[in-house]
Amino acid sequence: MRPSLAQLEAFFWTVELGSAQRAARHLNIAQPTISLRLKELSDFLGIALLERAGRGVRATPEGRALLPRIATVMAELRGIVGHDPMKQIVGPIRVGLAEGFAVTCLPPLLAALLNDHPGLQPEWAVSTSTTLEAQLLRDALDVAVLLNPIGDERLTLAALGAQPTAWAAPSAWGLRGPLAPQDLWSLPIISNPPPSAMHRQITGWFAAAGLTPSRLSVCSSVAVIAELVAEGIGMSLLPERMVARQIADGSIQLVPTVPPVDDGRLFVAVRSGNEDVKIQAVTAIIRKIVLQIGYLRGR
């Protein structure tokens, strides 16, 4: 008996992505299958390959010693199956991601790019959509995933779909819906600063009822806002998938409202007329990943 390619692949991607769950999603197989392959490889070699690291895992010293050899095997495998011309795309590309989208989608997106286009050298920018839109316009980015973009004739927008969005509140508040703007306007609310998509959506939701939130704070990071909500500081309008962990651990609850919140609309944006093959490759991977992980509403 000897280690199988599937076992080596399971170990490589688990270390690369930091968890068996992400490795399973990347390889499009069930997590128990990944766990079984990791155990079989560890038992065969007679060493512990992985250890806990926060909420994920990392290679043990023994595992790290093996990793360069396994990485060589993975590279050779890519070479064997690399007859697809798209796999020969190489060079840097500057990719912007709206932060709420990036928190969930960047790990599988990066893994897919490493696998399908190992010659690409992505440079990631994670920020609010309005910041990314401005960077695209001044040629500081090549392509970006934007949420509810303002729009400019110099940009070409291709719709991805609806990002599930909801009011998120500290579970400790014990809110029971459905709630109206009149029920929430006086509560502490945290938003990205104007003119961000989040700020426009929050203020627009209240404005439709003739109200302005009276205790509105701003923070530039969507991920930090989620942590502030989990700590009981305030509530916010957040992507549902981004706060799945906090919902599961009971620190955040989604609050149904009347009227309901509109889902955010995601677009892939490029400067008009830019038909770089690297942009086409990244766009195709983005579309594949959001379908693969079921990120969009109705997908």
Side-chain angles (χ1 to χ4, degrees), residues 82-165:
H83 300 298
D84 183 347
M86 289 295 283
K87 291 184 181 290
Q88 307 309 314
I89 297 172
V90 299
I93 182 167
R94 303 163 300 172
V95 186
L97 299 179
E99 187 180 6
F101 176 87
V103 169
T104 301
C105 297
L106 181 51
L109 175 57
L110 178 54
L113 282 174
L114 288 170
N115 184 68
D116 292 5
H117 304 292
L120 274 182
Q121 302 163 29
E123 301 169 9
W124 303 100
V126 177
S127 188
T128 64
S129 286
T130 48
T131 298
L132 298 175
E133 199 168 349
Q135 290 177 329
L136 272 172
L137 288 170
R138 66 171 185 266
D139 196 21
L141 289 174
D142 300 307
V143 59
V145 175
L146 304 179
L147 174 69
N148 296 343
I150 296 171
D152 187 291
E153 63 182 9
R154 291 169 291 174
L155 297 180
T156 298
L157 301 175
L160 277 178
Q163 174 177 267
T165 306

Side-chain angles (χ1 to χ4, degrees), residues 15-271:
V15 174
E16 189 76 18
L17 300 178
S19 80
Q21 182 180 26
R22 290 173 181 167
R25 192 160 53 201
H26 169 66
L27 295 171
N28 199 27
I29 58 178
Q31 184 174 338
T33 302
I34 284 282
S35 299
L36 177 61
R37 291 175 182 177
L38 292 170
K39 183 179 184 304
E40 290 172 342
L41 181 60
S42 182
D43 289 347
F44 174 80
L45 296 173
I47 57 174
L49 294 171
L50 299 167
E51 61 187 8
R52 300 300 304 177
R55 294 189 178 91
V57 296
R58 64 187 177 193
T60 63
E62 295 83 0
R64 287 196 297 273
L66 284 173
L67 199 57
R69 295 182 180 180
I70 295 175
T72 299
V73 173
M74 294 296 102
E76 289 297 322
L77 178 62
R78 285 195 295 267
I80 292 171
V81 299
H83 300 298
D84 183 347
M86 289 295 283
K87 291 184 181 290
Q88 307 309 314
I89 297 172
V90 299
I93 182 167
R94 303 163 300 172
V95 186
L97 299 179
E99 187 180 6
F101 176 87
V103 169
T104 301
C105 297
L106 181 51
L109 175 57
L110 178 54
L113 282 174
L114 288 170
N115 184 68
D116 292 5
H117 304 292
L120 274 182
Q121 302 163 29
E123 301 169 9
W124 303 100
V126 177
S127 188
T128 64
S129 286
T130 48
T131 298
L132 298 175
E133 199 168 349
Q135 290 177 329
L136 272 172
L137 288 170
R138 66 171 185 266
D139 196 21
L141 289 174
D142 300 307
V143 59
V145 175
L146 304 179
L147 174 69
N148 296 343
I150 296 171
D152 187 291
E153 63 182 9
R154 291 169 291 174
L155 297 180
T156 298
L157 301 175
L160 277 178
Q163 174 177 267
T165 306
W167 278 106
S171 295
W173 287 9
L175 297 181
R176 296 292 179 265
L179 299 177
Q182 292 84 349
D183 302 310
L184 302 182
W185 75 277
S186 63
L187 296 176
I189 293 171
I190 311 170
S191 170
N192 284 155
S196 67
M198 179 192 287
H199 192 275
R200 285 183 276 122
Q201 193 168 12
I202 287 175
T203 55
W205 187 77
F206 283 105
L211 296 170
T212 300
S214 64
R215 300 170 66 187
L216 182 65
S217 301
V218 297
C219 173
S220 61
S221 168
V222 179
V224 171
I225 289 174
E227 293 303 318
L228 293 174
V229 174
E231 290 295 323
I233 307 301
M235 63 186 301
S236 189
L237 202 58
L238 295 169
E240 294 179 11
R241 288 289 295 273
M242 195 192 81
V243 292
R245 174 179 59 82
Q246 293 94 332
I247 292 171
D249 69 23
S251 59
I252 283 181
Q253 66 172 116
L254 299 182
V255 181
T257 59
V258 179
V261 174
D262 291 333
D263 287 333
R265 307 300 302 185
L266 290 170
F267 295 82
V268 176
V270 299
R271 291 185 307 284

